[in-house]
Amino acid sequence: MTPLRSIPCGRFAPSPTGPLHFGSLISALGSYLEAQARGGRWLVRIEDVDRPRCRPEYADDILATLEAFGFTWDGEVMFQSRRTARYREALEVLKRQGVVYPCGCTRAELAGAPLGIDGAPRYPGTCRDGLPPGKVARAWRLRVEGVVDFVDLVQGPQHQDLAREVGDFVLLRADGLFAYQLAVVVDDADQGVDHVVRGADLIHSTARQIHLQRLLGLPTPQYAHLPVAVDAAGAKLSKQTRAAPLDVRDPVPALVAAARFLGMEPPSCRLASAEFWAWARQSWCLDRVPRVMSLPLPDYSR
Ligand code: GLU
């Protein structure tokens, strides 16, 4: 019997640590238009797994901004803060495989370790073969080995040696919260996401996510990492750097600028919102996205 082809599915997964800004609009627009072009569903997931950094009012604000900008998503919005039981199940599967171990190291103890690819200390392996005497379990780490290769639809072939470039990474944190890397893998699989379009700042996380998918027997989505907007000093626009929130009263200039940023050629910046969306749905082409990791933030305020 021929298996039923499943419906393509993309997603936008903001963390509610601040209002939406131009950088997040690029990911929202790229993932939305790609899902539409594939004739697929587009989901919104609020990534509030790191609760101390998130605020419910930002989640409301993000959803209201998406709506005001003319985005429509399929189904209910998923909240990671309600999914702890599923993350725990995944950790149990990994425990049974013997690929995770309790770690008693504190942040201060790791501070001197050489840095991994994402700028965090690379775990030196202190608790890898059992907790040394005097240490108590604080977190759970995944024992990593091997290399991960994948072809990113925008950035091209990628290769990462997990042990050398990242090291054993945390899945359950010392504060009892699950880590983003585990949550995102479980959620993408549970939601049937088959293509992930997001900012290139996350490309170095992808090998970890593919490694986890393989251990958990989950399918690997296709990945497309879009350039991120950087300020004059080359720093990524982020809520942490207080990037200006989007103006919900006047969405089109920001939408047009985001479309240009992604390699599209909007006919004018004076479109009505419905005209913008009709044009954008017809004109989107992932192949036109600039194949670079970052681009300067355009000034669309004038
Ligand atoms: N929640 C992440 C962020 O806001 C995005 C994660 C993802 O798309 O995988 O940066």
Side-chain angles (χ1 to χ4, degrees):
M1 218 172 79
T2 326
L4 278 179
R5 264 181 68 97
S6 55
I7 303 170
C9 183
R11 48 67 160 186
F12 174 54
S15 304
T17 53
L20 276 194
H21 54 78
F22 187 78
S24 21
L25 180 63
I26 292 164
S27 297
L29 185 64
S31 62
Y32 178 79
L33 292 176
E34 180 61 16
Q36 295 259 315
R38 291 177 184 230
R41 289 156 44 83
W42 185 69
L43 311 177
V44 173
R45 181 169 73 226
I46 297 291
E47 296 211 320
D48 54 355
V49 70
D50 187 356
R51 284 185 227 173
R53 289 183 55 236
C54 297
R55 299 238 302 263
E57 53 276 30
Y58 287 137
D60 296 341
D61 188 76
I62 287 171
L63 296 175
T65 305
L66 287 173
E67 243 179 311
F69 270 63
F71 290 95
T72 49
W73 53 88
D74 292 291
E76 301 257 306
V77 174
M78 178 182 271
F79 287 80
Q80 289 187 325
S81 54
R82 302 177 193 161
R83 306 235 330 131
T84 309
R86 284 291 295 127
Y87 308 148
R88 187 164 295 122
E89 276 172 30
L91 183 65
E92 290 306 317
V93 170
L94 298 169
K95 280 186 189 172
R96 286 199 289 276
Q97 291 177 21
V99 291
V100 288
Y101 60 89
C103 171
C105 298
T106 61
R107 209 175 276 239
E109 284 168 326
L110 300 178
L115 302 183
I117 194 154
D118 54 5
R122 210 175 58 214
Y123 189 61
T126 321
C127 303
R128 205 170 204 238
D129 300 314
L131 283 171
K135 274 200 187 288
V136 284
R138 293 165 47 82
W140 281 82
R141 280 184 191 272
L142 181 72
R143 188 190 302 275
V144 298
E145 53 204 31
V147 299
V148 174
D149 290 288
F150 68 99
V151 178
D152 188 84
L153 297 180
V154 174
Q155 307 290 339
Q158 305 293 316
H159 172 89
Q160 196 174 79
D161 179 331
L162 282 171
R164 201 165 52 78
E165 296 177 69
V166 179
D168 293 354
F169 57 95
V170 168
L171 299 183
L172 180 60
R173 306 178 349 179
D175 61 4
L177 294 173
F178 283 92
Y180 156 71
Q181 305 292 358
L182 182 68
V184 77
V185 162
V186 172
D187 293 344
D188 282 339
D190 281 358
Q191 294 193 290
V193 170
D194 68 348
H195 63 282
V196 170
V197 179
R198 60 185 177 189
D201 51 320
L202 289 162
I203 200 165
H204 299 309
S205 289
T206 308
R208 269 169 278 180
Q209 294 170 16
I210 293 175
H211 186 60
L212 275 170
Q213 288 152 3
R214 291 178 181 162
L215 291 170
L216 291 167
L218 303 174
T220 291
Q222 286 189 310
Y223 287 96
H225 287 86
L226 308 173
V228 293
V230 290
D231 64 18
K236 183 198 141 192
L237 278 205
S238 71
K239 295 159 208 160
Q240 288 71 34
T241 58
R242 296 178 202 277
L246 296 168
D247 182 357
V248 288
R249 291 159 311 173
D250 191 20
V252 173
L255 285 168
V256 165
R260 284 213 176 98
F261 189 95
L262 292 172
M264 303 175 80
E265 289 168 16
S268 140
C269 30
R270 286 178 214 288
L271 301 169
S273 176
E275 287 171 329
F276 169 82
W277 284 110
W279 165 82
R281 283 193 197 96
Q282 258 183 20
S283 319
W284 169 252
C285 176
L286 191 61
D287 288 344
R288 298 220 188 100
V289 173
R291 294 170 182 268
V292 293
M293 296 282 282
S294 65
L295 285 171
L297 170 72
D299 182 3
Y300 58 88
S301 58
R302 284 170 298 184

